[in-house]
Amino acid sequence: MFNNKTDFKQTFERRLEEKYGRSVADSHITERYDILGEMVRDYAGTEWRTCREDILDENKKQLIYFSMEFLMGRLLTSNMQNLGIFKVAKEGLEEFGIDIGEIEDLESDAGLGNGGLGRLAACFLDSIASLGYPGYGNTIRYEYGFFRQKFLHGQQVELPDQWLTNGFVFEVRKPKHAVEVKFYGSAETFLKPDGTYGWKLNNPTCIRAVPYDVSVPGYRNGIANSLRLWSAEPSENHLPTNQSFEDYLTTLKELCHGLYPDDSTEHGRMLRLRQQYFLVSSGLQSAMRSYHRRFGSLDDFADAYVIQLNDTHPILAIPEAMRLLMDEYGYGWDKAWGIVTKLFAYTNHTVMPEALEKWPVNYVQTLVPRVYMIIEEIARRQEIWMNESQVPGSDRYAMYIIKDGQIHMTNMAIFTVFSVNGVAKIHTDILKEYTFREFYKYYPEKFNNKTNGVTHRRWLMYANRKLSRLINSAIGDEWRYSYEKEIGKLKPFAKDAEFQKKFLEVKHACKEEFAAFVKKTYDIDIDPNSIYDVQIKRLHAYKRQLLNVFHIMYLYGRLKEDPTFKMVPHTYIFGAKAAPSYAYAKKIIELILAVAAVINNDPDANKFMKIVFVENYGVTLAERIIPAADVSEQISTAGKEASGTSNMKLMMNGAITLGTLDGANVEIAALAGEENEVIFGLKAEEVQKMVDEHSYNPWDVYNSDKRVKSVMDSLFSGPWCKGDSNRFRMIFDEIMAHNDQFFVLADFGAYCEACERIDKLYSNKKSWAKAAITNIASSGYFTSDRTIEEYNRDIWHLPKLEGIDND
């Protein structure tokens, strides 16, 4: 611990000398980063210990948050800010002649996540700690993350994300908490000493799961929780006899090699299943063992813990919990089931039935045979229950857990858990009325909505310090602690001419900073006076990056055909990764890059527009882009996006939403006012009606709208094809031959009109500033603090922790 600048400097000097044998002046920047990171980690560790003692002394209920990913971003600055030590460290380092910014830039983004699911989980951990609740993330310690994106020859190439090259200073390895996870083998009965029969695995492959804990400090409240990362190591006592040690080590390395293995092969799919079981078995074993050691029983385990399953990936936790209770702790089915059904809650993140996880029966039978037996029994009992509890007009087959040789994981979750939540109002309504309508008939009380949120600390306070200072000057700094309640006080300033002027100055300064970064990184000159039009999200067909680039292609065609055509200058900014096996998404990236190469190098066009596709998009790049954004592109097909979170981050930073009424856009438009956003396109019910009636044909649009015909034809003959007429045939075929599944052409005309409305609004600086400030002032609902309070009020029921007073 250090309490002032003098203590900090003495500690920094001493630790450098003790660990590296160097003075501050002689030390390398990597050594400085390591020592500073250790000091921050240990500072948070003191708070973590105090909170842990509070939980144990008072037997307080705890949350375990299972998620396959946590996209944490850099931790050094955010942890120092949350702990209230950033200023001390910055000034102390300055007296050594060290720029803290150089040390900050040395940190890699932790390779523990990919997209919105992982970023949401990271925001939740920040809010849980900042609100003072005991909650802990559990995931895998991926050695090489998802992948590092590189653009070579105009295409995405996937390279290993070597984020652990310089170690991960914030983690603490805790081998005493290791557990053993068992795969394969055969399930056999045995006679127990009391004369009853039990089950055991014969000849399994045993893997030692070792936890690494990362402290998650709350915002200046003396509270620190943790994110637990599970790593696979060789078993100490049960090495395999049926394979070589080298093959066994390969099995271990695969488990923690990377996030979301390629599922286009059977091996990759089995690896995904192994990862999921490894995570949930490790976390459950650790929690149950700890509780049993203290109390000698797991009778009240569901009163001491609540487990949130973030999406479908951790649902194997349900049968695994049953296995542990019955096979390891001697519970009968009924008592174990009583515990499990009080223990788990499930968050759904997709409205598309085809995206709900299903596993072939033979995969689970082979990998975890005893777990499969339990799933079979859950399914059998579900069918009995449905027969006894018939609901008129219900399709019970849709609810079956095992059917057509597949285990439907979400069906098992909804049957078992006590809470099922969607992540935006429209999303939850679709779950009730469409995706899970049969379950909703049986279990209406289980379903609830928890609209997503993002942590305003990282995405406004730390990412956009200029805007934060401006907000402080208007309404004080209480919004930092109580964002939902306080940020609304900014609304009167939306009409204040002086505040509008200051806001536009701040935005322009952020845009200039991003322009300098783009020049340095990509050697592209962009105009800070242009509209920064931003679409940053995972590349998927339903998110419709294609609609965006089709519009850009249309504008380019107009500029080339009509010398009198003028447009408001735009800089189109894309950030997205496509899954390695998702060929169509990768082809869309190739198209955007090809269009960018043409436009950016064409003097007729590049004075009006430029395209920047940032490479290897992640949290740190988002922190550069979002403060500079003018327009927030949220253009997914209505009814397909569960919530979205980039829309919330961009709103907090004063970007205007250009979007469909999908996901959280619905609530953004309602809270800020549709007059302060630009909403367009088909509504969810209109899309569904066209699907149900088979009334949409993209050829009708192609033949009736010359803009659409020109854009589609250019996929064969445009300058982006570079003479290869087949280069983008896949995109043409996906739209025209597969009936435009995500209604890109259906919404094209409305999107073009919406873009014109954006240009018109931007041309009136006062109106634009008013709308942007109104968005910021209306964003209080979208802090993850509000989301977590709702989870706790309705689902978790966690007590508050007693933190350390650092003042």
Side-chain angles (χ1 to χ4, degrees):
M1 294 284 284
F2 48 88
N3 298 313
N4 53 55
K5 185 169 60 178
T6 301
D7 285 351
F8 171 83
K9 290 176 63 179
Q10 291 174 348
T11 304
F12 188 77
E13 278 187 301
R14 175 175 54 79
R15 288 198 173 198
L16 262 175
E17 185 175 337
E18 289 173 349
K19 185 168 186 177
Y20 292 108
R22 293 180 178 273
S23 67
V24 174
D26 291 336
S27 62
H28 189 264
I29 189 170
T30 57
E31 296 166 341
R32 296 169 180 176
Y33 166 75
D34 184 52
I35 295 301
L36 180 60
E38 286 185 355
M39 290 170 66
V40 174
R41 179 197 68 201
D42 294 347
Y43 197 104
T46 302
E47 296 186 352
W48 180 87
R49 186 187 71 245
T50 301
C51 293
R52 191 70 190 154
E53 290 170 352
D54 181 30
I55 292 168
L56 296 177
D57 291 346
E58 302 295 329
N59 192 26
K60 290 183 174 179
K61 189 176 185 180
Q62 304 170 69
L63 165 72
I64 297 175
Y65 195 88
F66 276 131
S67 180
M68 288 305 291
E69 52 173 304
F70 287 85
L71 194 58
M72 302 297 289
R74 294 175 175 177
L75 296 181
L76 183 64
T77 300
S78 63
N79 283 5
M80 285 193 291
Q81 293 278 14
N82 277 11
L83 291 165
I85 58 176
F86 181 82
K87 187 171 183 288
V88 167
K90 182 175 183 291
E91 292 177 354
L93 291 170
E94 281 175 352
E95 293 192 5
F96 284 128
I98 299 171
D99 179 0
I100 196 170
E102 293 180 4
I103 296 180
E104 290 172 318
D105 288 341
L106 201 65
E107 183 179 4
S108 299
D109 281 21
L112 301 171
N114 170 41
L117 184 78
R119 188 52 234 165
L120 178 77
C123 286
F124 279 9
L125 290 189
D126 179 81
S127 286
I128 290 166
S130 294
L131 294 169
Y133 296 119
Y136 308 94
N138 266 247
T139 194
I140 291 174
R141 186 177 181 267
Y142 303 105
E143 288 189 39
Y144 296 101
F146 188 43
F147 63 83
R148 181 165 63 88
Q149 183 189 56
K150 191 81 175 168
F151 296 144
L152 292 176
H153 309 298
Q155 296 177 318
Q156 171 181 291
V157 175
E158 300 89 32
L159 302 173
D161 177 11
Q162 296 172 286
W163 70 283
L164 285 171
T165 298
N166 294 318
F168 187 35
V169 68
F170 299 103
E171 67 183 7
V172 178
R173 185 173 182 269
K174 295 188 173 178
K176 76 170 187 175
H177 297 300
V179 298
E180 197 157 86
V181 179
K182 299 177 180 179
F183 296 99
Y184 304 108
S186 57
E188 298 179 352
T189 56
F190 70 97
L191 185 64
K192 296 194 287 188
D194 63 1
T196 61
Y197 286 92
W199 288 91
K200 66 178 180 179
L201 269 181
N202 183 42
N203 198 30
T205 297
C206 300
I207 293 174
R208 185 172 182 244
V210 180
Y212 289 69
D213 284 355
V214 180
S215 291
V216 180
Y219 184 66
R220 304 187 184 184
N221 61 354
I223 302 294
N225 293 322
S226 60
L227 169 61
R228 175 156 284 187
L229 314 177
W230 290 99
S231 183
E233 297 184 7
S235 171
E236 290 185 316
N237 303 310
H238 301 99
L239 293 176
T241 57
N242 59 349
Q243 66 179 151
S244 69
F245 188 66
E246 287 74 19
D247 289 342
Y248 175 58
L249 288 180
T250 299
T251 300
L252 297 183
K253 286 190 71 66
E254 277 188 328
L255 263 177
C256 299
H257 181 273
L259 173 67
Y260 300 142
D262 180 1
D263 61 357
S264 64
T265 66
E266 183 170 79
H267 179 79
R269 290 191 293 274
M270 280 289 281
L271 179 53
R272 284 198 181 200
L273 185 61
R274 280 165 50 204
Q275 285 185 331
Q276 292 176 11
Y277 182 71
F278 175 74
L279 168 61
V280 299
S281 182
S282 302
L284 286 170
Q285 285 191 62
S286 178
M288 287 184 177
R289 182 178 66 185
S290 172
Y291 189 84
H292 193 270
R293 281 177 176 173
R294 290 171 57 218
F295 298 103
S297 165
L298 293 175
D299 290 359
D300 299 322
F301 185 70
D303 296 324
Y305 285 92
V306 59
I307 299 176
Q308 190 73 39
L309 305 175
N310 190 33
D311 212 8
T312 58
H313 313 116
I315 289 174
L316 274 175
I318 291 169
E320 173 64 2
M322 289 294 292
R323 185 194 71 81
L324 290 168
L325 287 166
M326 293 190 298
D327 297 357
E328 303 296 331
Y329 294 99
Y331 283 85
W333 181 279
D334 290 341
K335 198 160 186 181
W337 187 249
I339 294 170
V340 166
T341 52
K342 289 170 56 182
L343 184 63
F344 289 102
Y346 163 60
T347 299
N348 172 272
H349 287 275
T350 181
V351 298
M352 295 185 284
E354 66 270 19
L356 301 173
E357 201 163 55
K358 301 180 287 289
W359 289 111
V361 162
N362 65 303
Y363 281 22
V364 182
Q365 274 181 321
T366 302
L367 189 71
V368 280
R370 175 63 178 142
V371 168
Y372 175 71
M373 294 171 63
I374 291 168
I375 294 173
E376 272 194 319
E377 181 62 15
I378 294 172
R380 186 185 73 84
R381 291 176 182 241
Q382 181 210 34
E383 291 182 29
I384 293 171
W385 175 83
M386 285 192 297
N387 288 333
E388 294 174 348
S389 311
Q390 291 189 24
V391 173
S394 64
D395 176 9
R396 287 179 290 161
Y397 185 73
M399 302 168 65
Y400 282 2
I401 293 168
I402 301 175
K403 56 184 177 180
D404 303 324
Q406 303 268 344
I407 301 169
H408 293 249
M409 303 302 288
T410 307
N411 288 3
M412 178 166 61
I414 300 175
F415 176 64
T416 308
V417 302
F418 66 86
S419 169
V420 179
N421 74 275
V423 292
K425 184 180 183 303
I426 186 175
H427 170 230
T428 302
D429 288 344
I430 292 171
L431 295 183
K432 294 175 182 178
E433 297 165 11
Y434 177 67
T435 312
F436 302 135
R437 61 179 176 269
E438 302 304 328
F439 279 104
Y440 185 64
K441 293 174 185 175
Y442 280 84
Y443 298 120
E445 73 283 355
K446 288 190 179 186
F447 285 80
N448 60 94
N449 178 57
K450 299 289 173 282
T451 297
N452 282 342
V454 298
T455 170
H456 61 279
R457 286 167 288 275
R458 178 179 286 271
W459 293 109
L460 178 52
M461 288 166 54
Y462 309 153
N464 198 342
R465 296 175 198 179
K466 292 182 178 67
L467 181 56
S468 296
R469 287 193 293 269
L470 179 61
I471 295 171
N472 285 348
S473 72
I475 63 172
D477 66 357
E478 193 60 29
W479 63 273
R480 296 169 176 256
Y481 298 89
S482 184
Y483 191 78
E484 183 184 15
K485 177 183 175 184
E486 298 292 326
I487 197 65
K489 293 178 180 178
L490 197 64
K491 277 190 179 176
F493 291 89
K495 299 177 181 179
D496 184 289
E498 184 61 26
F499 190 83
Q500 289 176 356
K501 179 173 175 288
K502 290 178 180 177
F503 168 77
L504 292 173
E505 288 171 353
V506 164
K507 178 64 74 172
H508 191 77
C510 293
K511 292 170 75 172
E512 285 183 325
E513 287 181 3
F514 184 69
F517 167 78
V518 168
K519 177 62 177 175
K520 179 180 179 182
T521 309
Y522 306 110
D523 196 26
I524 300 173
D525 292 298
I526 61 175
D527 180 7
N529 294 305
S530 67
I531 296 176
Y532 281 14
D533 193 318
V534 171
Q535 190 173 17
I536 43 174
K537 51 185 75 246
R538 178 169 57 93
L539 204 305
H540 194 286
Y542 83 83
K543 294 179 183 288
R544 299 202 298 190
Q545 285 92 345
L546 199 56
L547 180 58
N548 192 344
V549 74
F550 276 1
H551 176 249
I552 297 170
M553 292 157 66
Y554 158 68
L555 290 175
Y556 178 74
R558 285 200 66 184
L559 285 168
K560 297 301 286 184
E561 293 168 7
D562 181 0
T564 66
F565 175 67
K566 299 290 185 291
M567 58 176 281
V568 177
H570 276 253
T571 299
Y572 295 98
I573 299 163
F574 292 88
K577 289 182 178 181
S581 60
Y582 193 177
Y584 182 52
K586 293 172 77 170
K587 184 58 72 172
I588 293 171
I589 288 179
E590 184 179 346
L591 176 62
I592 297 170
L593 292 172
V595 172
V598 170
I599 291 175
N600 292 352
N601 292 292
D602 186 333
D604 293 334
N606 62 24
K607 57 189 172 186
F608 293 109
M609 55 180 171
K610 292 279 183 72
I611 300 175
V612 177
F613 200 137
V614 297
E615 200 172 60
N616 200 39
Y617 175 69
V619 175
T620 298
L621 271 171
E623 290 169 346
R624 290 185 181 275
I625 296 167
I626 288 171
D630 293 310
V631 176
S632 168
E633 295 267 0
Q634 308 296 331
I635 58 177
S636 55
T637 311
K640 300 302 181 184
E641 182 71 83
S643 166
T645 52
S646 68
N647 46 7
M648 303 170 188
K649 299 162 195 167
L650 287 155
M651 180 191 194
M652 283 181 179
N653 283 269
I656 308 299
T657 297
L658 169 58
T660 52
L661 284 175
D662 194 28
N665 296 353
V666 176
E667 288 141 300
I668 287 173
L671 290 165
E674 283 201 28
E675 68 276 11
N676 295 305
E677 319 297 346
V678 176
I679 303 298
F680 76 96
L682 294 167
K683 296 180 174 63
E685 59 271 21
E686 293 171 331
V687 170
Q688 192 58 51
K689 185 172 186 288
M690 293 166 79
V691 171
D692 293 342
E693 296 178 353
H694 306 286
S695 59
Y696 173 59
N697 185 341
W699 286 101
D700 293 340
V701 184
Y702 175 90
N703 290 319
S704 62
D705 189 331
K706 64 181 182 180
R707 298 171 301 179
V708 168
K709 185 178 187 304
S710 175
V711 168
M712 297 305 294
D713 290 350
S714 78
L715 292 172
F716 295 102
S717 58
W720 23 85
C721 299
K722 288 189 174 180
D724 181 359
S725 62
N726 288 314
R727 185 179 184 189
F728 298 114
R729 178 182 294 276
M730 178 191 290
I731 295 175
F732 184 92
D733 288 347
E734 189 67 30
I735 297 290
M736 306 307 297
H738 298 125
N739 212 48
D740 191 11
Q741 181 184 0
F742 297 108
F743 296 82
V744 174
L745 301 191
D747 271 343
F748 183 81
Y751 181 61
C752 290
E753 188 273 333
C755 292
E756 291 173 3
R757 286 157 55 198
I758 282 284
D759 290 357
K760 183 178 179 181
L761 181 61
Y762 190 78
S763 298
N764 185 326
K765 294 299 184 186
K766 287 189 175 182
S767 296
W768 185 271
K770 177 176 175 289
I773 296 163
T774 300
N775 268 275
I776 300 168
S778 304
S779 66
Y781 182 75
F782 298 105
T783 172
S784 48
D785 289 3
R786 185 270 313 156
T787 313
I788 292 305
E789 290 287 20
E790 290 184 3
Y791 270 99
N792 196 56
R793 180 193 68 204
D794 300 335
I795 302 173
W796 301 337
H797 309 299
L798 302 170
K800 292 273 189 175
L801 290 170
E802 297 293 329
I804 298 175
D805 185 358
N806 289 321
D807 293 335

